[in-house]
Amino acid sequence: WASTSLGPWVQQTTVDAPPGRFAHGACLSVVNNAPTMVVFGGIIGLTAITDEVWLYGVNTSTFTPVPNTGLWPSARYGHVTACTNNLMYVLGGLSLSNVSLSNLNAVPMDTVYALDPTTAQVTHNRIKKKEEEEEKKKKKEQEEDEKN
């Protein structure tokens, strides 16, 4: 469905649409100089979760799957996504058994994945907590004191 400038909602005809899903993440980005909705994860049916990424070309009404390459977020739902600077960021989520993914992955829950939809490359960064920063600063100050 789409609407422009507060106009009426109009059902769109799409090409190669993926299976329906809910509790997924989606955000608007720019891919190949065109407005593109990037869709990640979610629940398909009532029994399966996915780690699929799909691109929806707003101007063409066409879906394109993004191949899974490199470090990829595990299948999840209920996560948070945001797009900026042509990257989709993914944080958190749950497994099919409603378990926080921080208990299932080698990558901690405080990890943010960044997907470049044009290259299918994924990077990840751990969010530094304020306490960690303060501890690091204190340790550095102690080391400097010991030198003096």
Side-chain angles (χ1 to χ4, degrees), residues 16-79:
D16 298 326
R21 62 198 64 216
F22 64 95
H24 56 282
C27 52
L28 191 62
S29 187
V30 176
V31 176
N32 298 323
N33 297 317
T36 304
M37 181 173 60
V38 185
V39 179
F40 171 74
I43 299 176
I44 297 175
L46 296 176
T47 59
I49 59 174
T50 182
D51 64 353
E52 296 174 335
V53 175
W54 288 83
L55 305 179
Y56 174 72
V58 174
N59 295 338
T60 62
S61 298
T62 302
F63 278 96
T64 306
V66 175
N68 183 330
T69 61
L71 177 67
W72 202 262
S74 60
R76 64 189 65 208
Y77 74 94
H79 50 283

Side-chain angles (χ1 to χ4, degrees), residues 127-140:
I127 300 170
K128 294 182 181 175
K129 296 182 175 134
K130 186 176 179 181
E131 300 85 34
E132 290 175 348
E133 290 294 323
E134 290 173 359
E135 186 176 314
K136 187 176 177 180
K137 183 179 177 183
K138 188 175 182 180
K139 185 176 179 180
K140 186 175 181 180

Side-chain angles (χ1 to χ4, degrees), residues 64-132:
T64 306
V66 175
N68 183 330
T69 61
L71 177 67
W72 202 262
S74 60
R76 64 189 65 208
Y77 74 94
H79 50 283
V80 176
T81 58
C83 287
T84 186
N85 297 325
N86 297 330
L87 295 173
M88 173 189 245
Y89 293 90
V90 178
L91 174 66
L94 297 170
S95 70
L96 189 58
S97 58
N98 294 324
V99 175
S100 167
L101 291 172
S102 62
N103 298 327
L104 300 177
N105 290 345
V107 180
M109 184 67 152
D110 55 0
T111 297
V112 175
Y113 292 91
L115 166 70
D116 182 338
T118 59
T119 64
Q121 295 301 307
V122 176
T123 58
H124 70 281
N125 291 304
R126 186 160 180 257
I127 300 170
K128 294 182 181 175
K129 296 182 175 134
K130 186 176 179 181
E131 300 85 34
E132 290 175 348

